[in-house]
Every structure is written in C-alpha cells, then in structure tokens.
Amino acid sequence: MKAEGLAARPPMGWNSWNTFGPHINERLIFETADRMVDEGYLEAGYEYLVIDDCWSLKERDANGRLVADPEKFPHGMKAVAAYVHAKGLKFGMYSCAGTLTCAGYPASFDHEFIDAETFAEWGVDFLKYDFCYFPRTADCKTHYRRIAMALKACRRPILLSACNWGVEEPWTWMQGAGAQMYRSTGDINESFRSIMDIADSQEPNLAYNGPYCWNDMDMLVVGMYGKGNVAFTGGCTDAEYRTHFGLWCLFSVPLMMGADLRDLRAESKALLLNKELIAIDQDPEARAPYRLWDEKDGRRSYCKHLSDGTYVLAYFNPSEQDAQVNSNFEDAGLQFSAGYALELTDVFTGEVIRRTEYYNPIVPSHDCRIYKARLVRR
Ligand code: GLA
C-alpha cells in the first residue's frame, strides 16, 4: 500500500459502460489502452481503464471463483491486466454488493473475500462496486465496509469505487467505510437534463468531497453524440459537453471518460484533454465552489478557490435562451476600495480580460464561460 494512500486527487480514467454496455471484449480493451496512451489521455491524467458489467460467465467455477467469459476475453483477465499495465495504465474491474450484478451476472454478496483475492491475483487496481440485487434484509454500510476490508486483505492497493447511487447518503459514511469514491446518483444518460440534474443534486454535498474519498457523479458522456449504451435520448451538443465537463471539473469530482476513444471528434478530444480544466478538477485542495449569483431558470455563476492563490469564475446558462449571467465581485469578498481588479483567462480560448467590480457575460443557451481569475493591483 502506498504510504500516501490512494486517490489523493479525483480519479481519472475510462469506463466501458456508457458506450459499450454488454458489448465488451479484450480487443476493445487493448485498442482503448492503445488510444489512452498514444493520444495523450494517460499523460493528461486518465490512468484507470475500467471494464464494467458483463465480463464474466453466468456461473462461478467449482471453487466458487468468478470466471471471465472466454469468448469475450480468450486470453483471460490476467493477460488483459498485463496488457493494460504494460502501457503504463491501471486496470479496473466491476462487481456488485448484491447477489447478482445489475446485468444479472454473479456478484460478490457473501463472496467478498474470495472475489477480492481473484481480482488481486488478476492484477486489478480499481474495483467499481455496484448495488443491484442487494438483499433487503442486509445492511448496506456493513457490506461496503466488508469489501473495503477484503480488498485491503489482499495487500495490493485496489481503489474501491463504491456505486450505491446515493442510497443512505454515502457522502456521510462511505469515506469512513474505506472507499475512495462513491457514486452519489442514479445512472447518467446522454442528455442535458441528466447532466444538470446530477450536478444540481450533488452541489449541496460537495463539502464532503475531498482527498481520498470523492463524490462520483458518474462517467462522462462527452463525445458520445447519441451513440452507445446510455445515449437513448438523442445526444448532446458541444456546448452541453462543455457545461458537463466544466461542472465536473469545477466540482473536483472523478473524471471517467465514457465515449469510444477510437472514434472521438476533435472537439470532444480537446475538451477532455483541456489542461486548465483538468488542473481545476485536480486542484490539491479540492475546495467546493460557491454560487455568486443565480436565477430560477438555472443561470448561475460560481467562484472556486484554488490552491495556488488564484480562483475560478464560472458562468453557466442552462436556460433555453442566450442570456446574461451575472457576478458581483463584492460577493466573492472583493470590495472595490481594496484597489484590486480580477484578470480573467478564458480556459477554452486563452483570452485574457480585466474586470473590476463585476462581470456579466452573455452566455449562449446550454453553454458556459469558465475563467481562471487572478487578483491584480488596479
Ligand atoms: C448500474 C450502474 C451503472 C453500470 C450498470 C451495469 O446501473 O449504476 O453505472 O455499472 O449498473 O449494469
């Protein structure tokens, strides 16, 4: 176990579920691993490559062990892990706290220790642990504590990505249970509504989010454009992806990509690799942003403190019209008489502007404006 612990920063990676659902196999994983390295995702911080549900046979073997489906993974999971590791990536897999996974494959209820051993033997570095088919008579907290303990018993650092969809307010206890992240909502789908619902529901819980245990607002849908397993509502626009990625980064939560990296448009790739946004997400202090201003139609501006003494000022317009989004710097604590202005650098364009007292940009419908802000003498 690393002395400093796992997940000092929000975990970053890729997960198979959003695009591929049950249609996974080792070729997809190998090709995704290649892309993650060759196209700069690993370098940008995306290190975990995670296989979600539907990887196993429907029955355990004679020793009670989970078995990888030999049609999907003909070389076995150890070989998949070895390929992923040889690329410099970390390898993630999936099981469930209930008796079956959500897609009906065998899961780890009362098999926690033997399954943790199997994952450790295969070389797993990350375990997403879901919540379907969890017996009503069993205690949720006990079973998440148990899998955390079973993973630790393996003496291999395995990040526990708990996924109980917000049941029993995991932000209040999952950190104590030993997990490094906890899914706090139901499943994302590729729609602007889903993105905004998740963000709005979790904003009040961000004070609990922080180093070593992160609020997982679900895998990203950036770049899916209506294709794939959770893209059943027609897909999102680039403006909506900016808002999605911008909110996840502003909130300092895990960034797990969900699109097909072998077929990603340049705009989405640039967004997912945006260095400024990733640095905001990964800021060591992971402070929650607070609202400077908001309206009933969802328009809002935020300020977030960063560890280098700068700030983020972010303006979102989820309304249906292009509209002004306001901010009065007085509400961030900056009184005019102090003699400072804010120098704002647009994280998307690099454009630099200087403002005193307020900034009220016109933001296109469903889009955002995000700036790194620095105090400068007037
Ligand atoms: C649940 C989870 C999803 C995904 C599926 C797999 O719905 O919340 O993220 O893992 O199960 O079946």
Side-chain angles (χ1 to χ4, degrees):
M1 194 77 51
K2 279 196 289 175
E4 72 269 28
L6 291 169
R9 307 280 165 88
M12 295 173 65
W14 179 89
N15 174 300
S16 59
W17 185 254
N18 278 1
T19 294
F20 298 96
H23 307 294
I24 48 174
N25 55 56
E26 64 181 29
R27 213 187 132 141
L28 167 70
I29 302 307
F30 296 161
E31 289 174 2
T32 301
D34 295 347
R35 294 296 171 128
M36 285 177 77
V37 176
D38 298 346
E39 301 195 11
Y41 297 101
L42 173 61
E43 205 189 334
Y46 296 96
E47 59 177 339
Y48 289 99
L49 194 172
V50 182
I51 300 178
D52 207 282
D53 205 350
C54 308
W55 57 267
S56 78
L57 286 179
K58 289 269 166 107
E59 302 287 343
R60 291 172 179 271
D61 72 9
N63 301 318
R65 297 251 175 182
L66 293 167
V67 187
D69 182 334
E71 277 184 22
K72 292 174 176 169
F73 300 96
H75 294 90
M77 278 304 170
K78 244 189 188 166
V80 176
Y83 190 95
V84 169
H85 288 152
K87 291 268 158 185
L89 295 159
K90 292 186 175 139
F91 182 49
M93 289 194 68
Y94 165 99
S95 188
C96 181
T99 53
L100 295 172
T101 72
C102 297
Y105 292 81
S108 300
F109 184 82
D110 278 351
H111 292 75
E112 290 86 353
F113 280 79
I114 188 174
D115 288 353
E117 269 169 34
T118 304
F119 292 130
E121 272 169 28
W122 286 344
V124 167
D125 308 297
F126 175 115
L127 180 66
K128 175 172 170 182
Y129 205 62
D130 216 338
F131 198 54
C132 281
Y133 298 99
F134 189 75
R136 294 182 64 155
T137 49
D139 180 57
C140 165
K141 294 180 186 175
T142 305
H143 282 260
Y144 278 94
R145 291 171 188 152
R146 184 180 294 171
I147 189 65
M149 190 175 266
L151 291 173
K152 285 191 178 159
C154 301
R155 314 198 74 74
R156 178 184 174 83
I158 302 178
L159 187 158
L160 176 57
S161 165
C163 177
N164 80 334
W165 324 309
V167 173
E168 295 196 42
E169 306 189 328
W171 41 91
T172 63
W173 57 270
M174 204 59 101
Q175 193 251 27
Q180 280 77 23
M181 55 197 262
Y182 48 86
R183 261 279 296 287
S184 48
T185 69
D187 291 13
I188 198 166
N189 64 67
E190 200 208 352
S191 68
F192 192 60
R193 175 79 193 269
S194 173
I195 290 165
M196 292 311 301
D197 283 353
I198 289 176
D200 286 344
S201 76
Q202 289 318 302
E203 194 179 320
N205 299 328
L206 290 178
Y208 293 101
N209 180 59
Y212 307 111
C213 194
W214 305 93
N215 186 327
D216 174 8
M217 305 206 313
D218 211 347
M219 288 91 69
L220 300 164
V221 297
V222 173
M224 292 178 62
Y225 295 102
K227 274 197 308 202
N229 190 44
V230 302
F232 35 78
T233 55
C236 289
T237 64
D238 286 325
E240 292 169 341
Y241 290 144
R242 276 193 291 278
T243 294
H244 174 28
F245 195 66
L247 283 166
W248 267 233
C249 290
L250 184 70
F251 287 8
S252 285
V253 295
L255 300 176
M256 301 298 291
M257 301 181 289
D260 185 349
L261 298 184
R262 303 165 310 174
D263 178 27
L264 199 60
R265 290 193 204 165
E267 293 83 351
S268 302
K269 187 176 165 186
L271 180 62
L272 290 166
L273 292 176
N274 184 298
K275 282 202 168 75
E276 295 294 339
L277 284 172
I278 292 174
I280 290 166
D281 180 78
Q282 299 282 303
D283 189 76
E285 293 180 1
R287 292 185 191 277
Y290 58 87
R291 289 191 188 205
L292 289 171
W293 178 84
D294 49 28
E295 282 289 326
K296 280 208 179 62
D297 63 8
R299 284 176 293 150
R300 79 283 299 264
S301 60
Y302 295 92
C303 176
K304 176 188 178 85
H305 284 237
L306 296 176
S307 56
D308 64 357
T310 65
Y311 303 86
V312 183
L313 289 184
Y315 303 82
F316 293 87
N317 177 14
S319 84
E320 299 310 313
Q321 294 87 36
D322 299 358
Q324 193 168 301
V325 180
N326 297 335
S327 65
N328 180 348
F329 298 163
E330 179 87 31
D331 295 324
L334 183 58
Q335 66 192 106
F336 183 74
S337 60
Y340 286 93
L342 282 172
E343 186 186 271
L344 309 180
T345 307
D346 187 315
V347 301
F348 297 112
T349 64
E351 190 197 346
V352 180
I353 52 176
R354 190 176 276 223
R355 286 286 184 281
T356 49
E357 291 185 275
Y358 68 91
Y359 181 47
N360 302 335
I362 304 276
V363 181
S365 170
H366 292 196
D367 209 342
C368 60
R369 295 277 182 264
I370 303 177
Y371 302 87
K372 276 267 290 207
R374 191 167 75 87
L375 280 172
V376 290
R377 282 248 171 238
R378 247 189 1 250

